[in-house]
Short mmCIF file of all heavy atoms in Angstrom, two decimals:
data_model
loop_
_atom_site.label_atom_id
_atom_site.label_comp_id
_atom_site.label_asym_id
_atom_site.label_seq_id
_atom_site.Cartn_x
_atom_site.Cartn_y
_atom_site.Cartn_z
N GLY S 48 73.76 145.94 46.73
CA GLY S 48 75.23 145.98 46.56
C GLY S 48 76.05 145.25 47.64
O GLY S 48 77.22 145.19 47.63
N LEU S 49 75.34 144.55 48.59
CA LEU S 49 76.01 143.72 49.53
C LEU S 49 76.62 142.49 48.86
O LEU S 49 76.04 141.93 47.88
CB LEU S 49 75.06 143.28 50.64
CG LEU S 49 74.58 144.39 51.54
CD1 LEU S 49 73.45 143.83 52.45
CD2 LEU S 49 75.75 144.94 52.40
N LYS S 50 77.66 142.00 49.33
CA LYS S 50 78.34 140.87 48.76
C LYS S 50 77.85 139.56 49.43
O LYS S 50 77.63 139.46 50.65
CB LYS S 50 79.90 140.90 48.91
CG LYS S 50 80.55 142.00 48.14
CD LYS S 50 82.02 141.80 48.00
CE LYS S 50 82.69 142.91 47.28
NZ LYS S 50 82.43 143.02 45.93
N ARG S 51 77.60 138.57 48.60
CA ARG S 51 77.13 137.25 49.13
C ARG S 51 78.32 136.69 49.90
O ARG S 51 79.45 136.86 49.57
CB ARG S 51 76.82 136.26 48.01
CG ARG S 51 75.68 136.74 47.12
CD ARG S 51 75.41 135.69 45.98
NE ARG S 51 76.62 135.42 45.26
CZ ARG S 51 76.80 134.37 44.44
NH1 ARG S 51 75.83 133.52 44.25
NH2 ARG S 51 77.91 134.19 43.80
N ASP S 52 77.92 135.88 50.94
CA ASP S 52 78.94 135.08 51.70
C ASP S 52 78.57 133.60 51.61
O ASP S 52 77.59 133.28 50.90
CB ASP S 52 79.04 135.63 53.12
CG ASP S 52 77.76 135.51 53.93
OD1 ASP S 52 76.81 134.77 53.52
OD2 ASP S 52 77.70 136.15 55.00
N ILE S 53 79.19 132.80 52.27
CA ILE S 53 78.98 131.33 52.18
C ILE S 53 77.58 131.04 52.68
O ILE S 53 76.96 130.08 52.13
CB ILE S 53 80.04 130.50 52.96
CG1 ILE S 53 79.87 129.03 52.64
CG2 ILE S 53 79.90 130.70 54.47
CD1 ILE S 53 80.08 128.71 51.15
N TYR S 54 76.98 131.83 53.61
CA TYR S 54 75.61 131.54 54.10
C TYR S 54 74.58 131.82 53.03
O TYR S 54 73.60 131.15 52.88
CB TYR S 54 75.40 132.25 55.42
CG TYR S 54 76.40 131.97 56.45
CD1 TYR S 54 77.41 132.90 56.83
CD2 TYR S 54 76.46 130.75 57.10
CE1 TYR S 54 78.38 132.65 57.73
CE2 TYR S 54 77.43 130.44 57.97
CZ TYR S 54 78.39 131.37 58.36
OH TYR S 54 79.34 131.14 59.26
N THR S 55 74.88 132.93 52.36
CA THR S 55 73.93 133.27 51.21
C THR S 55 73.97 132.15 50.12
O THR S 55 72.99 131.78 49.64
CB THR S 55 74.43 134.60 50.57
OG1 THR S 55 74.71 135.57 51.59
CG2 THR S 55 73.43 135.14 49.56
N ILE S 56 75.23 131.77 49.77
CA ILE S 56 75.36 130.76 48.75
C ILE S 56 74.75 129.43 49.22
O ILE S 56 74.18 128.70 48.42
CB ILE S 56 76.80 130.70 48.34
CG1 ILE S 56 77.26 132.01 47.71
CG2 ILE S 56 77.04 129.53 47.41
CD1 ILE S 56 78.74 132.14 47.37
N ASN S 57 74.93 129.09 50.53
CA ASN S 57 74.34 127.86 51.01
C ASN S 57 72.86 127.84 50.77
O ASN S 57 72.26 126.85 50.38
CB ASN S 57 74.67 127.63 52.45
CG ASN S 57 76.05 127.12 52.67
OD1 ASN S 57 76.75 126.62 51.83
ND2 ASN S 57 76.55 127.29 53.90
N SER S 58 72.18 128.95 50.98
CA SER S 58 70.77 129.04 50.93
C SER S 58 70.40 128.95 49.41
O SER S 58 69.46 128.25 48.99
CB SER S 58 70.17 130.32 51.46
OG SER S 58 70.26 130.38 52.86
N GLN S 59 71.12 129.65 48.57
CA GLN S 59 70.87 129.58 47.08
C GLN S 59 71.12 128.20 46.58
O GLN S 59 70.35 127.63 45.83
CB GLN S 59 71.85 130.53 46.39
CG GLN S 59 71.51 131.99 46.54
CD GLN S 59 72.49 132.83 45.72
OE1 GLN S 59 73.67 133.05 46.16
NE2 GLN S 59 72.07 133.21 44.56
N LEU S 60 72.12 127.48 47.03
CA LEU S 60 72.44 126.16 46.59
C LEU S 60 71.40 125.18 47.08
O LEU S 60 70.96 124.39 46.31
CB LEU S 60 73.84 125.73 47.14
CG LEU S 60 74.32 124.33 46.76
CD1 LEU S 60 74.30 124.11 45.25
CD2 LEU S 60 75.65 124.10 47.28
N ARG S 61 70.97 125.33 48.28
CA ARG S 61 69.95 124.34 48.86
C ARG S 61 68.67 124.56 48.00
O ARG S 61 67.96 123.59 47.63
CB ARG S 61 69.73 124.66 50.24
CG ARG S 61 68.70 123.77 50.87
CD ARG S 61 69.22 122.33 51.00
NE ARG S 61 68.21 121.49 51.55
CZ ARG S 61 67.90 120.23 51.05
NH1 ARG S 61 68.66 119.72 50.18
NH2 ARG S 61 66.99 119.59 51.60
N ALA S 62 68.28 125.81 47.68
CA ALA S 62 67.10 126.10 46.91
C ALA S 62 67.28 125.52 45.47
O ALA S 62 66.30 124.92 44.92
CB ALA S 62 66.83 127.63 46.84
N ALA S 63 68.45 125.69 44.91
CA ALA S 63 68.62 125.16 43.50
C ALA S 63 68.61 123.76 43.53
O ALA S 63 68.03 123.08 42.56
CB ALA S 63 69.98 125.71 43.03
N VAL S 64 69.15 123.01 44.49
CA VAL S 64 69.04 121.55 44.55
C VAL S 64 67.56 121.12 44.78
O VAL S 64 67.18 120.19 44.08
CB VAL S 64 69.96 121.07 45.70
CG1 VAL S 64 69.73 119.56 45.96
CG2 VAL S 64 71.38 121.24 45.40
N THR S 65 66.88 121.79 45.64
CA THR S 65 65.47 121.41 45.92
C THR S 65 64.66 121.62 44.72
O THR S 65 63.78 120.80 44.37
CB THR S 65 64.94 122.25 47.06
OG1 THR S 65 65.69 122.05 48.22
CG2 THR S 65 63.47 121.92 47.35
N ARG S 66 64.91 122.69 43.86
CA ARG S 66 64.21 123.01 42.68
C ARG S 66 64.70 122.23 41.47
O ARG S 66 64.18 122.40 40.33
CB ARG S 66 64.23 124.43 42.36
CG ARG S 66 63.55 125.30 43.51
CD ARG S 66 64.02 126.73 43.38
NE ARG S 66 63.09 127.60 42.83
CZ ARG S 66 63.22 128.95 42.75
NH1 ARG S 66 64.36 129.50 43.27
NH2 ARG S 66 62.36 129.68 42.20
N ASN S 67 65.66 121.41 41.64
CA ASN S 67 66.28 120.62 40.55
C ASN S 67 66.85 121.48 39.51
O ASN S 67 66.77 121.22 38.32
CB ASN S 67 65.32 119.63 39.98
CG ASN S 67 65.95 118.48 39.26
OD1 ASN S 67 67.10 118.05 39.63
ND2 ASN S 67 65.33 117.93 38.24
N GLN S 68 67.46 122.55 39.90
CA GLN S 68 68.11 123.56 38.95
C GLN S 68 69.65 123.18 38.90
O GLN S 68 70.42 123.71 39.58
CB GLN S 68 67.95 125.00 39.43
CG GLN S 68 66.48 125.41 39.40
CD GLN S 68 66.31 126.80 40.04
OE1 GLN S 68 66.86 127.14 41.05
NE2 GLN S 68 65.43 127.61 39.40
N LYS S 69 69.91 122.16 38.05
CA LYS S 69 71.25 121.58 38.04
C LYS S 69 72.28 122.53 37.59
O LYS S 69 73.38 122.61 38.19
CB LYS S 69 71.15 120.32 37.17
CG LYS S 69 70.33 119.21 37.75
CD LYS S 69 70.37 117.98 36.89
CE LYS S 69 69.40 116.98 37.61
NZ LYS S 69 69.49 115.64 37.00
N GLU S 70 72.00 123.39 36.57
CA GLU S 70 73.07 124.27 36.00
C GLU S 70 73.30 125.35 37.11
O GLU S 70 74.46 125.72 37.32
CB GLU S 70 72.54 124.82 34.75
CG GLU S 70 72.66 123.84 33.53
CD GLU S 70 72.17 124.57 32.29
OE1 GLU S 70 72.29 125.82 32.15
OE2 GLU S 70 71.73 123.80 31.38
N LEU S 71 72.28 125.82 37.73
CA LEU S 71 72.53 126.86 38.84
C LEU S 71 73.26 126.27 39.91
O LEU S 71 74.14 126.88 40.47
CB LEU S 71 71.16 127.42 39.29
CG LEU S 71 71.22 128.51 40.38
CD1 LEU S 71 72.12 129.65 40.01
CD2 LEU S 71 69.87 128.94 40.72
N SER S 72 72.93 125.02 40.36
CA SER S 72 73.72 124.41 41.47
C SER S 72 75.15 124.30 41.14
O SER S 72 76.01 124.68 41.97
CB SER S 72 73.10 122.95 41.61
OG SER S 72 71.78 123.01 41.97
N ILE S 73 75.48 123.91 39.95
CA ILE S 73 76.92 123.74 39.52
C ILE S 73 77.57 125.14 39.46
O ILE S 73 78.68 125.29 39.90
CB ILE S 73 77.03 122.95 38.18
CG1 ILE S 73 76.61 121.50 38.43
CG2 ILE S 73 78.46 123.03 37.64
CD1 ILE S 73 77.43 120.67 39.43
N SER S 74 76.89 126.05 38.94
CA SER S 74 77.39 127.41 38.83
C SER S 74 77.76 127.95 40.24
O SER S 74 78.83 128.55 40.47
CB SER S 74 76.46 128.32 38.17
OG SER S 74 76.91 129.71 38.09
N LEU S 75 76.92 127.79 41.18
CA LEU S 75 77.10 128.20 42.57
C LEU S 75 78.26 127.49 43.19
O LEU S 75 79.10 128.13 43.86
CB LEU S 75 75.79 128.02 43.41
CG LEU S 75 74.62 128.95 43.12
CD1 LEU S 75 73.37 128.46 43.73
CD2 LEU S 75 74.98 130.42 43.51
N ILE S 76 78.33 126.21 42.97
CA ILE S 76 79.42 125.45 43.52
C ILE S 76 80.78 125.96 42.89
O ILE S 76 81.72 126.13 43.63
CB ILE S 76 79.28 123.90 43.18
CG1 ILE S 76 78.00 123.41 44.05
CG2 ILE S 76 80.44 123.14 43.53
CD1 ILE S 76 77.54 122.13 43.54
N ASP S 77 80.79 126.13 41.66
CA ASP S 77 81.98 126.59 40.97
C ASP S 77 82.42 127.96 41.42
O ASP S 77 83.60 128.30 41.49
CB ASP S 77 81.82 126.56 39.49
CG ASP S 77 81.85 125.13 38.92
OD1 ASP S 77 82.41 124.20 39.52
OD2 ASP S 77 81.34 124.99 37.67
N ASP S 78 81.42 128.81 41.71
CA ASP S 78 81.79 130.20 42.23
C ASP S 78 82.49 130.00 43.53
O ASP S 78 83.49 130.83 43.70
CB ASP S 78 80.44 130.95 42.49
CG ASP S 78 79.75 131.56 41.25
OD1 ASP S 78 80.38 131.42 40.15
OD2 ASP S 78 78.63 131.98 41.34
N VAL S 79 82.09 129.18 44.39
CA VAL S 79 82.72 129.01 45.71
C VAL S 79 84.07 128.34 45.50
O VAL S 79 85.09 128.85 46.08
CB VAL S 79 81.89 128.16 46.67
CG1 VAL S 79 82.66 127.87 47.96
CG2 VAL S 79 80.61 128.99 47.02
N LEU S 80 84.13 127.29 44.72
CA LEU S 80 85.44 126.57 44.56
C LEU S 80 86.50 127.50 43.88
O LEU S 80 87.73 127.28 44.15
CB LEU S 80 85.18 125.35 43.71
CG LEU S 80 84.37 124.20 44.32
CD1 LEU S 80 84.18 123.01 43.40
CD2 LEU S 80 84.88 123.83 45.69
N SER S 81 86.07 128.44 43.07
CA SER S 81 87.00 129.30 42.42
C SER S 81 87.33 130.59 43.17
O SER S 81 88.24 131.40 42.74
CB SER S 81 86.55 129.62 40.98
OG SER S 81 85.39 130.38 41.09
N SER S 82 86.60 130.88 44.23
CA SER S 82 86.83 132.12 44.96
C SER S 82 87.85 131.95 46.12
O SER S 82 87.66 131.14 46.94
CB SER S 82 85.49 132.62 45.62
OG SER S 82 85.72 133.73 46.40
N PRO S 83 88.82 132.79 46.14
CA PRO S 83 89.73 132.77 47.22
C PRO S 83 89.16 133.43 48.40
O PRO S 83 89.79 133.34 49.55
CB PRO S 83 91.05 133.51 46.73
CG PRO S 83 90.42 134.45 45.62
CD PRO S 83 89.24 133.78 45.00
N HIS S 84 88.04 134.10 48.33
CA HIS S 84 87.50 134.91 49.40
C HIS S 84 86.38 134.19 50.15
O HIS S 84 85.95 134.65 51.22
CB HIS S 84 86.97 136.22 48.88
CG HIS S 84 88.02 136.99 48.17
ND1 HIS S 84 89.12 137.58 48.69
CD2 HIS S 84 88.11 137.29 46.78
CE1 HIS S 84 89.85 138.17 47.85
NE2 HIS S 84 89.26 138.00 46.62
N ILE S 85 85.89 133.10 49.60
CA ILE S 85 84.79 132.41 50.22
C ILE S 85 85.31 131.03 50.66
O ILE S 85 85.68 130.17 49.82
CB ILE S 85 83.52 132.29 49.33
CG1 ILE S 85 83.07 133.64 48.90
CG2 ILE S 85 82.50 131.46 50.02
CD1 ILE S 85 81.91 133.55 47.92
N ARG S 86 85.26 130.75 51.97
CA ARG S 86 85.66 129.46 52.51
C ARG S 86 84.37 128.56 52.72
O ARG S 86 83.46 129.00 53.38
CB ARG S 86 86.43 129.63 53.82
CG ARG S 86 86.93 128.31 54.36
CD ARG S 86 87.85 128.57 55.55
NE ARG S 86 88.28 127.27 56.01
CZ ARG S 86 88.87 127.14 57.21
NH1 ARG S 86 89.06 128.17 58.02
NH2 ARG S 86 89.25 125.89 57.56
N HIS S 87 84.38 127.38 52.01
CA HIS S 87 83.18 126.56 52.25
C HIS S 87 83.15 125.95 53.66
O HIS S 87 84.13 125.80 54.28
CB HIS S 87 83.17 125.47 51.13
CG HIS S 87 84.36 124.58 51.07
ND1 HIS S 87 85.48 124.83 50.35
CD2 HIS S 87 84.63 123.33 51.64
CE1 HIS S 87 86.37 123.91 50.51
NE2 HIS S 87 85.85 122.99 51.31
N ASP S 88 81.92 125.65 53.96
CA ASP S 88 81.66 124.97 55.25
C ASP S 88 80.96 123.62 55.04
O ASP S 88 80.76 123.14 53.94
CB ASP S 88 80.87 125.90 56.15
CG ASP S 88 79.43 126.25 55.58
OD1 ASP S 88 79.07 125.62 54.55
OD2 ASP S 88 78.74 127.07 56.24
N PHE S 89 80.64 122.98 56.14
CA PHE S 89 79.98 121.70 56.14
C PHE S 89 78.77 121.67 55.27
O PHE S 89 78.50 120.78 54.51
CB PHE S 89 79.63 121.23 57.60
CG PHE S 89 78.75 120.00 57.60
CD1 PHE S 89 79.29 118.76 57.38
CD2 PHE S 89 77.40 120.14 57.81
CE1 PHE S 89 78.48 117.62 57.38
CE2 PHE S 89 76.62 118.99 57.78
CZ PHE S 89 77.12 117.78 57.60
N TYR S 90 77.86 122.66 55.42
CA TYR S 90 76.63 122.72 54.67
C TYR S 90 76.83 122.82 53.22
O TYR S 90 76.17 122.20 52.35
CB TYR S 90 75.70 123.86 55.20
CG TYR S 90 75.40 123.67 56.66
CD1 TYR S 90 76.08 124.40 57.64
CD2 TYR S 90 74.43 122.70 57.04
CE1 TYR S 90 75.79 124.21 59.03
CE2 TYR S 90 74.23 122.50 58.43
CZ TYR S 90 74.89 123.27 59.38
OH TYR S 90 74.62 123.01 60.73
N PHE S 91 77.82 123.60 52.87
CA PHE S 91 78.14 123.74 51.41
C PHE S 91 78.62 122.40 50.85
O PHE S 91 78.24 122.01 49.78
CB PHE S 91 79.25 124.81 51.18
CG PHE S 91 79.74 124.84 49.75
CD1 PHE S 91 79.01 125.52 48.78
CD2 PHE S 91 80.85 124.22 49.41
CE1 PHE S 91 79.41 125.54 47.52
CE2 PHE S 91 81.27 124.18 48.04
CZ PHE S 91 80.58 124.91 47.14
N VAL S 92 79.56 121.73 51.57
CA VAL S 92 80.07 120.44 51.12
C VAL S 92 78.96 119.47 51.05
O VAL S 92 78.77 118.81 50.00
CB VAL S 92 81.10 119.88 52.09
CG1 VAL S 92 81.57 118.52 51.71
CG2 VAL S 92 82.33 120.90 52.10
N ASP S 93 78.08 119.36 52.05
CA ASP S 93 76.91 118.43 52.04
C ASP S 93 75.97 118.69 50.90
O ASP S 93 75.51 117.72 50.23
CB ASP S 93 76.27 118.54 53.39
CG ASP S 93 75.24 117.31 53.62
OD1 ASP S 93 75.67 116.18 53.31
OD2 ASP S 93 74.14 117.57 54.02
N ASN S 94 75.64 119.96 50.66
CA ASN S 94 74.74 120.30 49.53
C ASN S 94 75.34 120.19 48.17
O ASN S 94 74.67 120.21 47.11
CB ASN S 94 74.16 121.71 49.75
CG ASN S 94 73.11 121.75 50.80
OD1 ASN S 94 72.27 120.93 50.88
ND2 ASN S 94 73.22 122.75 51.63
N SER S 95 76.67 120.10 48.09
CA SER S 95 77.41 120.00 46.79
C SER S 95 77.59 118.65 46.27
O SER S 95 77.74 118.37 45.10
CB SER S 95 78.78 120.71 46.90
OG SER S 95 78.67 122.07 47.21
N ILE S 96 77.40 117.63 47.21
CA ILE S 96 77.77 116.27 46.79
C ILE S 96 76.91 115.73 45.68
O ILE S 96 77.42 115.29 44.58
CB ILE S 96 77.74 115.37 48.00
CG1 ILE S 96 78.82 115.63 48.96
CG2 ILE S 96 77.74 113.86 47.67
CD1 ILE S 96 78.80 114.91 50.34
N ILE S 97 75.63 115.80 45.87
CA ILE S 97 74.78 115.20 44.84
C ILE S 97 74.80 115.97 43.51
O ILE S 97 74.94 115.32 42.44
CB ILE S 97 73.30 115.13 45.34
CG1 ILE S 97 73.27 114.00 46.49
CG2 ILE S 97 72.28 114.79 44.29
CD1 ILE S 97 72.02 113.82 47.20
N PRO S 98 74.80 117.36 43.46
CA PRO S 98 74.94 118.01 42.15
C PRO S 98 76.26 117.67 41.41
O PRO S 98 76.23 117.45 40.29
CB PRO S 98 74.83 119.46 42.48
CG PRO S 98 74.12 119.55 43.81
CD PRO S 98 74.48 118.32 44.49
N LEU S 99 77.31 117.57 42.21
CA LEU S 99 78.61 117.29 41.61
C LEU S 99 78.62 115.84 41.10
O LEU S 99 79.12 115.54 40.04
CB LEU S 99 79.73 117.48 42.58
CG LEU S 99 80.06 118.90 42.86
CD1 LEU S 99 81.06 118.99 44.07
CD2 LEU S 99 80.65 119.61 41.64
N LEU S 100 78.02 114.90 41.83
CA LEU S 100 77.95 113.53 41.34
C LEU S 100 77.05 113.43 40.12
O LEU S 100 77.40 112.71 39.16
CB LEU S 100 77.43 112.55 42.45
CG LEU S 100 78.49 112.32 43.53
CD1 LEU S 100 77.73 111.49 44.62
CD2 LEU S 100 79.70 111.62 43.14
N ASP S 101 75.89 114.15 40.11
CA ASP S 101 75.08 114.19 38.99
C ASP S 101 75.80 114.68 37.68
O ASP S 101 75.45 114.33 36.54
CB ASP S 101 73.79 114.99 39.22
CG ASP S 101 72.80 114.29 40.12
OD1 ASP S 101 72.95 113.08 40.32
OD2 ASP S 101 71.91 114.92 40.63
N ALA S 102 76.73 115.57 37.92
CA ALA S 102 77.49 116.18 36.80
C ALA S 102 78.72 115.36 36.54
O ALA S 102 79.61 115.83 35.82
CB ALA S 102 77.86 117.61 37.18
N ASN S 103 78.86 114.18 37.13
CA ASN S 103 80.03 113.26 36.91
C ASN S 103 81.33 113.91 37.28
O ASN S 103 82.29 113.72 36.68
CB ASN S 103 80.17 112.81 35.47
CG ASN S 103 78.95 111.89 35.10
OD1 ASN S 103 78.61 111.03 35.88
ND2 ASN S 103 78.36 112.15 33.93
N ARG S 104 81.27 114.71 38.43
CA ARG S 104 82.48 115.36 38.94
C ARG S 104 82.89 114.71 40.23
O ARG S 104 83.01 115.37 41.23
CB ARG S 104 82.19 116.83 39.05
CG ARG S 104 82.07 117.54 37.64
CD ARG S 104 81.67 118.98 37.73
NE ARG S 104 82.60 119.73 38.56
CZ ARG S 104 82.46 121.09 38.74
NH1 ARG S 104 81.46 121.69 38.12
NH2 ARG S 104 83.30 121.76 39.51
N THR S 105 83.09 113.51 40.23
CA THR S 105 83.46 112.72 41.45
C THR S 105 84.74 113.21 42.03
O THR S 105 84.88 113.23 43.27
CB THR S 105 83.64 111.15 40.97
OG1 THR S 105 82.43 110.80 40.28
CG2 THR S 105 83.88 110.34 42.21
N LYS S 106 85.69 113.60 41.20
CA LYS S 106 87.01 114.04 41.81
C LYS S 106 86.76 115.32 42.64
O LYS S 106 87.44 115.47 43.66
CB LYS S 106 88.01 114.42 40.70
CG LYS S 106 88.55 113.17 40.07
CD LYS S 106 89.63 113.45 39.00
CE LYS S 106 90.10 112.24 38.34
NZ LYS S 106 91.10 112.47 37.31
N ASP S 107 85.85 116.15 42.24
CA ASP S 107 85.51 117.38 42.97
C ASP S 107 84.89 116.96 44.38
O ASP S 107 85.13 117.67 45.38
CB ASP S 107 84.58 118.32 42.24
CG ASP S 107 85.31 119.03 41.14
OD1 ASP S 107 86.56 119.30 41.31
OD2 ASP S 107 84.70 119.36 40.12
N VAL S 108 84.03 115.98 44.34
CA VAL S 108 83.46 115.49 45.56
C VAL S 108 84.50 115.00 46.53
O VAL S 108 84.52 115.36 47.68
CB VAL S 108 82.41 114.37 45.30
CG1 VAL S 108 81.91 113.74 46.60
CG2 VAL S 108 81.26 114.94 44.51
N TYR S 109 85.42 114.18 46.01
CA TYR S 109 86.50 113.69 46.89
C TYR S 109 87.35 114.70 47.45
O TYR S 109 87.75 114.75 48.58
CB TYR S 109 87.25 112.59 46.14
CG TYR S 109 86.61 111.27 45.85
CD1 TYR S 109 86.61 110.74 44.59
CD2 TYR S 109 85.80 110.73 46.83
CE1 TYR S 109 85.96 109.51 44.30
CE2 TYR S 109 85.09 109.50 46.57
CZ TYR S 109 85.22 108.98 45.36
OH TYR S 109 84.51 107.79 45.09
N LYS S 110 87.69 115.66 46.59
CA LYS S 110 88.51 116.83 46.98
C LYS S 110 87.82 117.59 48.13
O LYS S 110 88.42 117.97 49.14
CB LYS S 110 88.89 117.76 45.89
CG LYS S 110 89.79 118.83 46.22
CD LYS S 110 90.34 119.62 45.09
CE LYS S 110 91.19 120.75 45.40
NZ LYS S 110 91.54 121.06 46.79
N LEU S 111 86.48 117.92 47.97
CA LEU S 111 85.79 118.66 48.92
C LEU S 111 85.79 117.91 50.26
O LEU S 111 86.00 118.54 51.35
CB LEU S 111 84.34 118.87 48.49
CG LEU S 111 84.05 120.10 47.66
CD1 LEU S 111 82.62 120.07 47.22
CD2 LEU S 111 84.29 121.40 48.39
N ILE S 112 85.52 116.69 50.24
CA ILE S 112 85.38 115.84 51.43
C ILE S 112 86.81 115.69 52.09
O ILE S 112 86.96 115.89 53.28
CB ILE S 112 84.78 114.40 51.19
CG1 ILE S 112 83.29 114.68 50.85
CG2 ILE S 112 84.92 113.57 52.41
CD1 ILE S 112 82.61 113.45 50.41
#
Side-chain angles (χ1 to χ4, degrees):
L49 293 170
K50 293 199 185 289
R51 298 179 307 165
D52 61 15
I53 192 61
Y54 305 106
T55 313
I56 294 169
N57 282 341
S58 292
Q59 287 181 281
L60 179 56
R61 182 71 183 137
V64 170
T65 301
R66 294 161 105 175
N67 201 30
Q68 296 174 317
K69 294 180 181 190
E70 288 180 25
L71 178 57
S72 298
I73 293 298
S74 176
L75 291 165
I76 293 166
D77 287 340
D78 285 351
V79 172
L80 295 180
S81 66
S82 174
H84 306 292
I85 301 176
R86 185 174 178 195
H87 58 272
D88 62 6
F89 169 78
Y90 300 102
F91 174 80
V92 175
D93 193 46
N94 284 316
S95 297
I96 290 173
I97 291 175
L99 287 171
L100 289 175
D101 286 345
N103 294 316
R104 291 178 52 181
T105 308
K106 288 182 181 179
D107 287 328
V108 172
Y109 290 134
K110 182 172 179 0
L111 273 174
I112 292 172

